[in-house]
């Protein structure tokens, strides 16, 4: 295991270009989900430090927003290159605090860096408009300007990529930021700040605070200088933040919960469907907002699909994300996750579902859940209504296309959906009718920097990545010019 990660184990917050402790000197421990050993401590900050971070971001905004997009791109590309140069150390640090297998952590560092490169380039293409006039003396112009100070609250499941997905468009657009990473995985964020410092990104442009989530959130939402909040996390917290931001009418990007349906039709390529559903279900040990939550399988392919999934689930290796040879599934983030998953499994079984494999905490440790396959489930069960967020695949049998679409759409959220079919007409019909922001056809992996990620209904607001992702960090200004 590379020890180089210790260079990046920053145990202080980053405000106005200074590494600092909490005002009251309190700290929070961060534990390794694999064995609950201590990884390190971070400052337990609150409102006063957050206000100072906003002061710094507001001061830095004056000069950062005036730089040309080309100059900002140069800073971002330098940051991008440093992240990739230090990929191995950053990935090790991520596995230590988050638990995911090292290969997935390396993949996340690359994925995270790709947003920086994409938006460094995209920042140079945020041109405005000239609108044809309706009066001889008037000219109508539209320019786009950075929205101002942006607050970001980022999750523990992708501690690097969910941060860069927000920072890269914000910084490229000319905004400055105050970021609160999850207290469960703060070190990946602090390592990114250390590399931003090395890349020469000026002080105050990117600030990182952590600690008391409520105190920090209250200040971020209440301070009128913060003009936008971007959040990835649960729908419940998203709704709370939405309400809290009403007082200062901030722009919001919310990437909230999902409950992804998978529709496997009789005409699907079985081997491909199984391999891709496994990827969509078990990536990050099932802890992504786009993980396959409800697997609807048409009756003609059902038995063969279940048989192949059973073998595939049994073959998943479980263990320390840093172990050699590598494992596919790591520990879950905490014991609360295990308790929630067990309650969902138990309720499904009590209502008639059958556990084909797994269904219990794994002997490997108290934060491991044995990869699980459940059949005979029905859509009234809690396991169909809630996000499982763990390594439990649940299969439902369906007869007709219309029935599958109705079931898929019968939840209040709408982030990602998957469809497996060889029929092009069905691909169109189903994609158009699924009430989701993303439809992934014949593949279980679709996330990248160049395409729009985001949901409809209670899955949130806005899109991240792609040419659309930067618009959320820009204000439109209409200039009416009398030329006489
Ligand atoms: C998430 O779970 O929030 C992001 C997953 C992804 O980008 O694929």
């Amino acid at each position: 295991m590379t020890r180089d990660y210790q260079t990046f184990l920053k145990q202080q917050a980053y405000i106005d270009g200074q590494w600092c402790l909490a005002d009251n000197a309190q700290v929070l421990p961060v534990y390794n989900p694999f064995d609950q050993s201590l990884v390190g401590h971070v400052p337990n900050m609150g409102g006063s430090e957050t206000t100072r971070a906003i002061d710094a971001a507001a001061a830095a905004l004056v000069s950062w927003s005036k730089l040309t997009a080309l100059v900002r791109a140069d800073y971002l590309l330098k940051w991008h290159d440093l992240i990739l140069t230090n990929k191995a150390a950053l990935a090790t640090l991520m596995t230590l605090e988050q638990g995911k297998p090292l290969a997935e952590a390396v993949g996340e560092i690359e994925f995270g860096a790709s947003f920086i490169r994409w938006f460094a380039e995209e920042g140079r293409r945020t041109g405005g408009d000239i609108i044809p006039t309706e009066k001889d003396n008037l000219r109508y112009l539209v320019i786009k300007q950075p929205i101002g100070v942006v607050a970001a609250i980022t999750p523990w499941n992708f501690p690097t990529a969910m941060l860069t997905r927000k920072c890269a468009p914000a910084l490229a657009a000319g905004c400055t930021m105050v970021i609160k990473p999850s207290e469960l995985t703060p070190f990946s964020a602090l390592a990114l700040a250390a590399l931003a410092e090395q890349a020469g990104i000026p002080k105050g442009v990117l600030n990182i605070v952590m600690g008391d989530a409520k105190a920090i959130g209250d200040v971020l939402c209440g301070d009128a200088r913060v003009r936008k909040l971007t959040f990835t996390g649960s729908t419940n917290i998203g709704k709370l933040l939405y309400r809290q931001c009403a007082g200062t009418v901030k722009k919001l990007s919310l990437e909230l919960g999902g409950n992804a349906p998978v529709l496997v039709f009789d005409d699907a390529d079985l081997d491909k469907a199984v391999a891709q559903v496994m990827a969509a279900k078990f990536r990050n040990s099932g802890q992504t907002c786009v993980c396959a939550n409800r697997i609807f399988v048409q009756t003609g392919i059902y038995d063969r699909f279940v048989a192949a999934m059973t073998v595939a689930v049994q073959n998943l290796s479980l263990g320390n994300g840093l172990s050699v040879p590598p494992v596919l599934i790591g520990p879950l983030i905490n014991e609360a996750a295990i308790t929630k998953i067990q309650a969902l499994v138990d309720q499904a079984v009590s209502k008639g579902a059958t556990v084909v494999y797994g269904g219990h905490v794994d002997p490997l440790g108290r934060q491991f859940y044995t990869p699980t396959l459940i059949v005979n489930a029905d859509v009234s069960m809690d396991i169909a209504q809630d996000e499982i967020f763990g390594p439990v695949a649940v299969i439902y049998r369906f007869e007709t296309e219309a029935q599958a679409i109705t079931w898929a759409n019968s939840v209040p959220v709408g982030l990602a959906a998957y469809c497996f079919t060889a029929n092009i007409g069905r691909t169109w019909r189903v994609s158009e009718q699924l009430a989701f922001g993303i439809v992934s056809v014949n593949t279980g992996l679709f996330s990248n920097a160049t395409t729009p990620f985001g949901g409809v209904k209670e899955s949130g607001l806005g899109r991240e990545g792609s040419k659309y992702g930067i618009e959320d960090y820009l204000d439109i200004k209409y200039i009416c010019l009398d030329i006489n």
Side-chain angles (χ1 to χ4, degrees):
M1 188 221 315
T2 172
R3 310 295 314 171
D4 293 351
Y5 76 86
Q6 281 169 338
T7 317
F8 293 105
L9 187 70
K10 297 281 180 195
Q11 305 197 57
Q12 293 177 310
Y14 187 64
I15 300 176
D16 203 17
Q18 303 293 318
W19 293 94
C20 50
L21 298 170
D23 289 351
N24 61 11
Q26 281 182 8
V27 293
L28 287 174
V30 179
Y31 297 109
N32 183 336
F34 166 62
D35 57 4
Q36 295 77 49
S37 59
L38 185 71
V39 181
H41 290 95
V42 287
N44 186 5
M45 295 180 150
S48 54
E49 298 91 338
T50 307
T51 300
R52 274 209 302 285
I54 298 170
D55 294 343
L61 181 69
V62 177
S63 47
W64 183 253
S65 62
K66 284 197 189 119
L67 295 177
T68 64
L70 183 60
V71 172
R72 287 195 295 262
D74 286 341
Y75 281 115
L76 289 171
L77 290 173
K78 200 161 172 204
W79 191 28
H80 163 270
D81 292 350
L82 284 167
I83 291 170
L84 289 186
T85 305
N86 293 287
K87 177 166 73 176
L90 296 175
T92 304
L93 185 59
M94 189 191 301
T95 295
L96 282 171
E97 66 173 351
Q98 203 276 342
K100 68 179 63 182
L102 189 61
E104 284 196 49
V106 170
E108 185 183 334
I109 299 295
E110 291 167 351
F111 177 48
S114 74
F115 288 105
I116 301 177
R117 178 163 178 188
W118 171 263
F119 282 112
E121 294 160 353
E122 208 55 20
R124 302 177 60 195
R125 292 189 272 273
T126 58
D129 268 321
I130 297 178
I131 297 174
T133 187
E134 295 186 330
K135 296 223 162 49
D136 284 350
N137 62 319
L138 296 182
R139 296 294 179 269
Y140 307 141
L141 317 175
V142 174
I143 60 168
K144 294 183 186 171
Q145 294 179 302
I147 193 160
V149 175
V150 173
I153 302 180
T154 59
W156 53 262
N157 62 342
F158 290 94
T160 292
M162 296 307 104
L163 192 147
T164 55
R165 214 178 215 174
K166 299 176 189 314
C167 278
L171 267 48
C175 301
T176 56
M177 299 192 85
V178 178
I179 302 159
K180 190 202 85 64
S182 165
E183 284 68 39
L184 298 172
T185 56
F187 291 123
S188 295
L190 292 168
L192 288 179
L195 290 171
E197 187 183 28
Q198 267 187 47
I201 293 181
K203 72 184 178 90
V205 169
L206 191 146
N207 305 276
I208 304 205
V209 294
M210 70 275 304
D212 179 342
K214 179 169 180 336
I216 295 171
D218 285 351
V219 171
L220 292 178
C221 294
D223 194 311
R225 293 171 298 171
V226 175
R227 293 316 314 146
K228 178 188 169 85
L229 175 81
T230 170
F231 169 70
T232 295
S234 73
T235 299
N236 282 344
I237 299 291
K239 287 179 183 177
L240 176 75
L241 294 169
Y242 202 171
R243 282 194 289 272
Q244 281 190 280
C245 286
T248 49
V249 195
K250 294 190 203 317
K251 195 163 175 172
L252 277 155
S253 289
L254 299 173
E255 294 296 350
L256 309 180
N259 182 344
V262 180
L263 279 57
V264 182
F265 288 95
D266 284 347
D267 59 21
D269 174 332
L270 178 70
D271 293 343
K272 187 172 183 189
V274 170
Q276 295 300 313
V277 171
M278 287 295 292
K281 174 69 249 183
F282 291 99
R283 175 173 162 241
N284 205 15
S285 307
Q287 302 172 110
T288 90
C289 306
V290 296
C291 274
N293 211 58
R294 298 168 292 153
I295 305 168
F296 300 120
V297 183
Q298 202 164 18
T299 197
I301 199 175
Y302 184 91
D303 291 341
R304 284 177 294 139
F305 185 85
V306 169
M309 281 289 287
T310 306
V311 174
V313 172
Q314 283 169 348
N315 283 340
L316 289 170
S317 50
L318 204 66
N320 183 354
L322 293 178
S323 60
V324 181
V327 293
L328 291 171
I329 305 283
L332 298 187
I333 191 67
N334 54 26
E335 284 188 79
I338 298 271
T339 306
K340 177 191 164 182
I341 291 165
Q342 192 62 60
L344 290 175
V345 170
D346 290 346
Q347 199 258 4
V349 170
S350 75
K351 292 198 146 201
T354 309
V355 175
V356 177
Y357 188 75
H360 49 75
V361 177
D362 198 86
L364 205 53
R366 60 180 200 251
Q367 282 182 224
F368 282 93
Y369 201 81
T370 303
T372 294
L373 183 66
I374 291 180
V375 296
N376 296 331
D378 79 63
V379 290
S380 70
M381 295 171 178
D382 289 351
I383 208 159
Q385 299 300 320
D386 285 359
E387 232 182 333
I388 302 168
F389 237 70
V392 177
V394 188
I395 301 186
Y396 307 76
R397 186 194 289 267
F398 74 90
E399 304 286 338
T400 65
E401 188 178 302
Q403 181 183 39
I405 292 169
T406 304
W407 283 350
N409 289 343
S410 67
V411 288
V413 290
L415 183 52
Y418 303 82
C419 169
F420 291 86
T421 177
N423 180 323
I424 189 72
R426 170 175 282 146
T427 299
W428 271 109
R429 282 195 304 276
V430 172
S431 300
E432 285 178 3
Q433 290 177 75
L434 285 172
F436 291 80
I438 301 159
V439 179
S440 185
V441 182
N442 293 331
T443 176
L445 300 173
F446 56 79
S447 286
N448 58 66
T450 62
T451 51
F453 185 97
V456 298
K457 302 196 298 190
E458 293 186 19
S459 284
L461 303 169
R463 291 294 179 272
E464 295 193 311
S466 80
K467 66 175 181 178
Y468 308 105
I470 199 162
E471 298 294 331
D472 274 6
Y473 296 87
L474 293 164
D475 275 331
I476 285 177
K477 185 176 283 176
Y478 156 48
I479 301 172
C480 184
L481 184 67
D482 187 335
I483 59 169
N484 291 333

